[in-house]
Amino acid sequence: MTFTALRGAGLALLLATAAQAEDPVEAYRVFVADHAEPKVTAFDLNAPGTRWEFEIAGQAKLIPVADGAVIAAVQSDADQVRFIASGVTLEDHGDHADIAISDPAAIGAPLTGARPFHVVDHGGETVIHFDRGGRADLLSNAALKDGRIEIAQFPQARAHHGFAAPFGGVILSTVASDAPVEGDAAPVRLGLRAFDRSGSPVGDLAPCGGIHGEAFSGAYLAAGCAEGVLTATPGPNGAIAYRMLPYPADFPAATTGTLLGAKAMQIFLGNHGPDGLVVVDPAGEPAMTRVALPFRRVDFALDPADPAMAYVLTEDGRLHRVDLLAAKITASAPVTGTYSMDGHWNDPRPRLAVADGIIAMSDPRAGLARLISTETLKETGRIEIGGQPYDIAIVGGAGATH
Ligand code: ZN
Ligand code: ZN
């Protein structure tokens, strides 16, 4: 390197440092889990050439928790959960946020237990439900942000595929039937009930057949049932007010099993059967509006920057923008090849994660993460990952670094 080049580089560094001290810094970090290999790859959107890799024990679902400070890598078939500090943290300072950026790093030892599955992040705690362990582990988000794992165990009467959530001073937990089952069959899920933290019931069962797919928005928890969508909200005298929103009579025969809850407004988006979505307004009228999809859904995600918008990928390889307030598809564009929903639910298919203006979509067949503009639905970049990129998560934002 010549003297001039060195001097130039030094000057550029100096300018960058000066700019960083004054201008807000924007950083988005993407985490991708492979379908076949037990590993997680991380990279920054603005410098995707630098990679971090984490060896884990099995295929993982990646769930950002503790305000994006931590990624929970839930390995259901390997009976463990790995917590990875995302390295991008935003701290609220009232009129602005501070951003701190460091390398991502695994936290402590993996959490172990029989078939961890659903994860709830609510009320300052992250809850891992162990479907065959008959328990849920409640982890303090404050400790997680500090790089520590602090656990309180919540016992359940019968192990089942469900969830538990801290909610207005109680734990709301799914409840399974105590009727005997054949062999390895999972017990039938009956509904939702409030418990104290030691696992003793403090309320009556709210019936919700086959309850599945919890989400939070505003003052509400919502979950799908055979008969409709059940909502729960804090009621008078510490009680929980439940309400069953039945599927409207003009809906085709189908149910909701997955829900997403918006953060910045009180609204949910769920599936309704394999080729429909349902917008749920828990306190409004109509409570449920259906959006028909042209093909079966592969994955869907809400837009954290624009809570009235969601994106859904259908098996024909097209991405659609859904306006939740209008309950309509407002734009569609091809983004990949076809990914048929015939076959196993866990076959390698794309997954979506959305940040400010960007949809990050894994494309397992192409070995890529595709970056797609939320505005135009056009691809703006592709990042070679190799293998079969599967579950994907994105954390970050903009903040001051003073
Ligand atoms: Zn500050
Ligand atoms: Zn489930």
Side-chain angles (χ1 to χ4, degrees):
M1 199 186 271
T2 65
F3 175 69
T4 320
L6 260 174
R7 240 182 36 162
L11 185 64
L13 191 71
L14 207 71
L15 286 172
T17 312
Q20 243 173 35
E22 282 152 33
D23 298 334
V25 170
E26 199 179 46
Y28 290 98
R29 190 164 282 168
V30 180
F31 291 79
V32 185
D34 194 81
H35 189 272
E37 295 285 318
K39 65 169 187 188
V40 176
T41 304
F43 58 87
D44 286 344
L45 271 189
N46 65 1
T50 303
R51 305 286 166 92
W52 295 272
E53 274 208 5
F54 297 89
E55 299 289 324
I56 49 174
Q59 188 191 87
K61 187 157 168 45
L62 304 176
I63 300 150
V65 296
D67 301 318
V70 175
I71 302 286
V74 181
Q75 303 148 68
S76 300
D77 292 337
D79 291 342
Q80 56 177 270
V81 182
R82 196 77 167 118
F83 293 95
I84 301 169
S86 71
V88 181
T89 55
L90 288 153
E91 192 187 333
D92 184 31
H93 279 193
D95 63 338
H96 69 277
D98 276 15
I99 192 166
I101 302 164
S102 56
D103 286 352
I107 299 173
L111 196 65
T112 57
R115 203 156 175 82
F117 219 104
H118 283 227
V119 175
V120 161
D121 179 352
H122 195 68
E125 289 177 294
T126 291
V127 187
I128 313 286
H129 191 273
F130 291 93
D131 289 1
R132 291 193 189 133
R135 72 172 219 260
D137 285 4
L138 290 82
L139 283 79
S140 151
N141 280 351
L144 275 176
K145 285 181 186 177
D146 255 13
R148 289 177 295 112
I149 295 178
E150 231 175 69
I151 304 171
Q153 284 197 347
F154 172 76
Q156 292 165 318
R158 189 172 195 190
H160 64 283
H161 179 62
F163 66 88
F167 198 79
V170 299
I171 305 289
L172 287 184
S173 171
T174 49
V175 173
S177 158
D178 52 16
V181 292
E182 300 262 331
D184 232 13
V188 172
R189 299 185 295 276
L190 300 176
L192 197 61
R193 192 168 188 183
F195 296 85
D196 66 20
R197 294 179 78 91
S198 67
S200 302
V202 293
D204 295 331
L205 179 83
C208 170
I211 184 167
H212 191 266
E214 72 289 351
F216 298 87
S217 182
Y220 287 84
L221 177 157
C225 326
E227 57 272 48
V229 169
L230 178 73
T231 66
T233 192
N237 306 319
I240 301 290
Y242 298 101
R243 187 170 161 221
M244 175 61 72
L245 308 171
Y247 299 116
D250 60 345
F251 276 25
T255 60
T256 296
T258 302
L259 284 156
L260 307 171
K263 237 186 185 154
M265 61 191 276
Q266 190 164 278
I267 200 160
F268 294 91
L269 181 66
N271 75 303
H272 184 257
D275 60 357
L277 298 175
V278 61
V279 178
V280 179
D281 177 356
E285 268 309 317
M288 297 168 97
T289 315
R290 193 177 194 271
V291 183
L293 298 174
F295 290 88
R296 289 174 293 185
R297 173 191 98 264
V298 178
D299 195 23
F300 66 141
L302 297 178
D303 189 337
D306 189 349
M309 295 297 158
Y311 304 91
V312 53
L313 178 73
T314 48
E315 60 186 337
D316 60 331
R318 280 192 306 158
L319 188 65
H320 313 272
R321 186 194 302 124
V322 180
D323 179 332
L324 301 191
L325 298 178
K328 273 197 173 69
I329 291 175
T330 55
S332 301
V335 292
T336 183
T338 58
Y339 272 97
S340 170
M341 286 307 290
D342 286 336
H344 195 275
W345 67 269
N346 193 32
D347 284 344
R349 298 188 188 90
R351 292 286 181 267
L352 308 175
V354 186
D356 192 15
I358 291 284
I359 301 159
M361 184 186 83
S362 63
D363 195 332
R365 209 160 47 211
L368 295 171
R370 297 183 191 274
L371 305 178
I372 298 158
S373 156
T374 57
E375 206 172 313
T376 63
L377 301 187
K378 289 214 163 63
E379 188 175 292
T380 59
R382 49 177 72 175
I383 293 156
E384 240 8 281
I385 310 280
Q388 292 187 308
Y390 188 35
D391 208 32
I392 187 162
I394 183 163
V395 298
T401 54
H402 50 187

